[in-house]
Each structure stands twice: as structure tokens, then as C-alpha cells.
Amino acid sequence: MKLRVAQKVHYNAGPNMTPLVDVVMVILIFLMLCGSFVGSEHFLVSNLPISQSGLGKVAPPAGFIPDEPIEIRVDSHGQGQFIATAGKIQTSDPAGLTDQLRKMRLALNRAGKNEDQMQVKIGPGKNVKYQQLVQVYEAALSAGYKKVAFARSH
């Protein structure tokens, strides 16, 4: 006795993958579009000129007066606390730092330097959080400085 089941051809091609590929492509395109708009929010804007270093430095023009450098060193101190040191200033309070930096700016103004000739560089320590750097950056801007930038960590 012959069975007819053995004569039938069975085509088992598996599930249809076309809708799955379509959905994955839509998700991929959505993530690519959303990701490109978020990238610019991770940087603080600084208006300092780009400085170059190396063997081939260009000589400054005649009569060039360099900016007055003001370096602020920021170190982490305990839980969420920082210590900002700039010359004789040493404080962990953002409002106190603003007042001290404003006094320093006014003293430099009396010495003949205007705000365009002052350059503040914020140097973070090893374990300083991003939020602490932003507080010091905002304190420098609130004190009236126009050129505020970040240096390499110390």
C-alpha cells in the first residue's frame, strides 16, 4: 500500500521576514535622526580664541598686549563639594567665588585692563564632576568676565 502523503512536496520557507526588516529600518532611521539633534548639547560655548602650540609659532604683531591670565583650579572635596583656587582666592561657595572674582576683575580694571584683555582658564582636578565645573563657569560669567575657557586637568 502506497501512501499519498509521501508524494506531496512540502515547501517550508519559514516566516516572512519582510515586515520585520521594514520595522527595523524605520526604527534605525528614527534613532539616527534623533541622535543628530542631541549631540550639540554636551558642550559649553566659549568665546576664547583658539591657541596653537608647537615648533612653528607665529610672532605676535608689533604692539600686541597679551591677555591677563586668570587660572582657576577646581578640586573635588567630599560629596558634591569643590574647592576653587585662583591666586589668593580659595572658596567652595559659588556665590562667594563670584564675589571674589568680581573684586579681582575690578582691581584689574583699576590697573588699566578691560574685560577684553582678561582671560579666565578653569582647570579641573582629577575627580571633579561636570556640575561643579559648570558652577565655576557660571560664577566667572556672573563676575563679568567675557573670555572663559577650560584647561586640561591638572
Side-chain angles (χ1 to χ4, degrees):
M1 170 176 336
K2 278 189 165 178
L3 295 176
R4 292 188 184 245
V5 178
Q7 293 176 357
K8 290 184 181 177
V9 179
H10 295 286
Y11 292 103
N12 190 3
N16 188 3
M17 298 300 287
T18 306
L20 178 67
V21 171
D22 290 342
V23 169
V24 169
M25 290 303 289
V26 168
I27 292 172
L28 181 65
I29 291 170
F30 174 76
L31 292 176
M32 288 171 51
L33 289 175
C34 289
S36 65
F37 295 123
V38 178
S40 63
E41 295 178 5
H42 297 289
F43 302 101
L44 293 175
V45 178
S46 175
N47 56 0
L48 266 181
I50 297 173
S51 61
Q52 295 180 352
S53 61
L55 297 175
K57 289 189 176 182
V58 178
F64 175 74
I65 300 172
D67 291 340
E68 181 72 27
I70 301 168
E71 295 184 11
I72 301 175
R73 181 181 173 143
V74 182
D75 291 311
S76 181
H77 185 268
Q79 298 177 7
Q81 297 291 326
F82 66 91
I83 295 177
T85 308
K88 296 178 182 178
I89 299 172
Q90 185 171 8
T91 184
S92 62
D93 179 33
L97 180 62
T98 302
D99 292 337
Q100 294 294 327
L101 288 174
R102 185 175 291 122
K103 290 177 184 176
M104 183 184 290
R105 182 183 57 80
L106 293 174
L108 287 171
N109 284 343
R110 285 191 296 272
K113 295 276 185 177
N114 62 13
E115 285 79 11
D116 292 332
Q117 297 172 334
M118 297 178 214
Q119 182 178 22
V120 176
K121 292 182 183 177
I122 301 172
K126 195 171 195 176
N127 296 321
V128 176
K129 306 263 189 240
Y130 180 73
Q131 180 182 6
Q132 297 166 348
L133 286 177
V134 170
Q135 289 176 345
V136 175
Y137 179 79
E138 289 174 349
L141 290 179
S142 297
Y145 292 100
K146 293 181 181 177
K147 296 180 179 180
V148 181
F150 296 97
R152 286 185 252 164
S153 62
H154 49 267

